[in-house]
Amino acid sequence: MMKMNLRKLLAIGTASTLVLSATACSSASATATTAETTTAAETEAAAAESAASAEESTAEADSAVTTDTAEYNIAIVKQLDHASLDEITNAIEAQLDAIAAEKNVTIHYTTYSGQNDQTTLKQIGDQAIADGVDAVIPVATLAAQVMTVCAEETETPVVYAAISDPEAADLTGISYVTGTSDALNTSFILDMMTAVDDEIQTVGLLYSLSEANSATPIADAKTYLDAAGIAYTEQTANTNDEVITAVSALIADGVDAIFTPTDNVIMAAELAVYESLKEAGIPHYTGADSFVRNGAFATCGVNYTDLGARTADLAYSAITEGMEGMDDYYLMDGGIITVNTETAEALGLDYSVYSDMGELVEVITTED
């Protein structure tokens, strides 16, 4: 069952028989008539049997066509709207459609956004459970935590997507909860940072205190930087305006680069700060490719379309086979390096070294 600290966050033939009678006569004429009657009767019987067989086959065929398929109802709950979570959600929806077609079942799903508000998320979760959904798919950490509380009494399957640190978020050891993890390889991203600029002296750590998934990678970053003899300064933010202010402070501090993990609050504000960072000549290394598509410099992480599809598969298995035997969570493979070529050009950075470090994907800035 769920750990107590999660409580603090709140809380689907008959075939006819033909009877023949013949009258016995002694005359040849009568015999002939009886013979003719018998022959006609046999023909009628054969025709009737054939018709009955055809009727039965048609009925079976009609029955096969009109048999209702299984129907399932799923609530998809995004923590908020931004590029990464939208990509994951779109992939979940597409995979559910594909599963329905392949398995000849009907899957009804409704997608909600909690707008990063715990109260709104709780209202969405409570209503979904009251509606009797077969599973809830929360996308991102806060959504997963709230949905877990909402589903506690009914133990409706909660199959989350993109939780960087399920253990830190208290989402492990719960019988009705599983999902996919996009755990970050923080050391590798900082290796990318020093590979491009081996003279970095100060790194800015930009994250939100409200994001549980940021805690472990920030701690890992500090350990890495301490061991490398690189100074760091921290700025935290919980709203778009605060992110803008925090970035301005890091620029004023003269940091050489900024690191942000898979932090949804910072991600939602990336389009508002990337121009300022480019103008200041500061590369932003991040935890997801959505940051990079919104103007950040580089990342190394998972493919969120693959993650969304895997999450949908897990949700269908949870509904149809049950949760017994499923892992606490499923770690997605990473190793995909994504670089924004427009940002790299503006910063004057040569990222060719990344070709030797992993799979390299080049993107440009988009607003979705």
Side-chain angles (χ1 to χ4, degrees), residues 38 47-48 83 98 111 128 167 177 179 224 255 263 322 351:
T38 302
T111 299
E167 293 184 11
V177 177
Y224 178 103
V255 299
D263 191 298
Y351 58 87

Side-chain angles (χ1 to χ4, degrees), residues 40-358:
E42 289 174 348
T43 302
E44 282 186 39
E49 182 178 355
S50 177
S53 176
E55 185 176 338
E56 183 178 351
S57 298
T58 301
E60 290 175 353
D62 289 344
S63 176
V65 170
T66 59
T67 298
D68 292 335
T69 61
E71 293 193 23
Y72 306 108
N73 295 285
I74 297 175
I76 304 170
V77 185
K78 288 189 296 181
Q79 181 170 318
L80 70 161
D81 300 311
H82 71 57
S84 286
L85 305 192
D86 293 345
E87 179 182 348
I88 294 167
T89 301
N90 291 340
I92 291 170
E93 294 172 344
Q95 185 66 6
L96 290 176
D97 289 339
I99 292 170
E102 178 186 352
K103 304 293 186 181
N104 190 32
V105 298
T106 300
I107 301 178
H108 303 287
Y109 55 81
T110 304
T111 299
Y112 307 89
S113 174
Q115 300 304 322
N116 210 36
D117 181 80
Q118 184 169 303
T119 300
T120 301
L121 286 165
K122 183 68 165 57
Q123 291 171 344
I124 292 169
D126 285 344
Q127 187 61 58
I129 297 301
D131 289 341
V133 296
D134 297 292
V136 182
I137 304 178
V139 184
T141 302
L142 181 59
Q145 291 172 319
V146 175
M147 295 308 113
T148 297
V149 171
C150 294
E152 181 180 12
E153 183 175 347
T154 60
E155 296 196 350
T156 300
V158 174
V159 184
Y160 57 71
I163 308 302
S164 299
D165 194 341
E167 293 184 11
D170 293 321
L171 292 170
T172 57
I174 306 172
S175 62
Y176 59 94
V177 177
T178 188
T180 54
S181 173
D182 58 344
L184 197 62
N185 188 338
T186 302
S187 295
F188 188 86
I189 294 178
L190 297 178
D191 284 344
M192 291 170 55
M193 185 184 294
T194 57
V196 167
D197 183 0
D198 59 6
E199 296 183 356
I200 284 181
Q201 296 182 354
T202 305
V203 172
L205 302 177
L206 176 64
Y207 60 102
S208 170
L209 293 173
S210 66
E211 289 284 306
N213 50 290
S214 291
T216 296
I218 289 296
D220 291 343
K222 292 177 180 179
T223 299
Y224 178 103
L225 295 170
D226 285 338
I230 299 173
Y232 55 84
T233 182
E234 298 176 71
Q235 287 289 334
T236 62
N238 292 310
T239 67
N240 271 29
D241 288 343
E242 290 179 2
V243 173
I244 294 170
T245 300
V247 167
S248 297
L250 291 174
I251 292 173
D253 287 341
V255 299
D256 299 304
I258 293 175
F259 167 70
T260 295
T262 49
D263 191 298
N264 293 294
V265 172
I266 309 303
M267 171 59 232
E270 186 66 34
L271 284 169
V273 300
Y274 84 97
E275 290 282 10
S276 297
L277 290 174
K278 281 201 305 185
E279 291 172 5
I282 300 173
H284 192 186
Y285 294 84
T286 64
D289 62 0
S290 51
F291 288 85
V292 180
R293 296 177 192 278
N294 280 183
F297 170 55
T299 188
C300 181
V302 306
N303 182 308
Y304 278 132
T305 296
D306 291 345
L307 182 146
R310 176 68 169 136
T311 305
D313 289 338
L314 288 172
Y316 183 74
S317 295
I319 293 171
T320 58
E321 300 172 19
M323 301 285 286
E324 186 175 354
M326 298 186 80
D327 293 345
D328 273 346
Y329 62 90
Y330 297 82
L331 183 62
M332 298 295 296
D333 292 332
I336 302 174
I337 298 172
T338 306
V339 173
N340 187 309
T341 56
E342 294 175 336
T343 300
E345 182 178 1
L347 296 173
L349 294 177
D350 178 10
Y351 58 87
S352 58
V353 64
Y354 293 161
S355 297
D356 298 325
M357 297 177 70

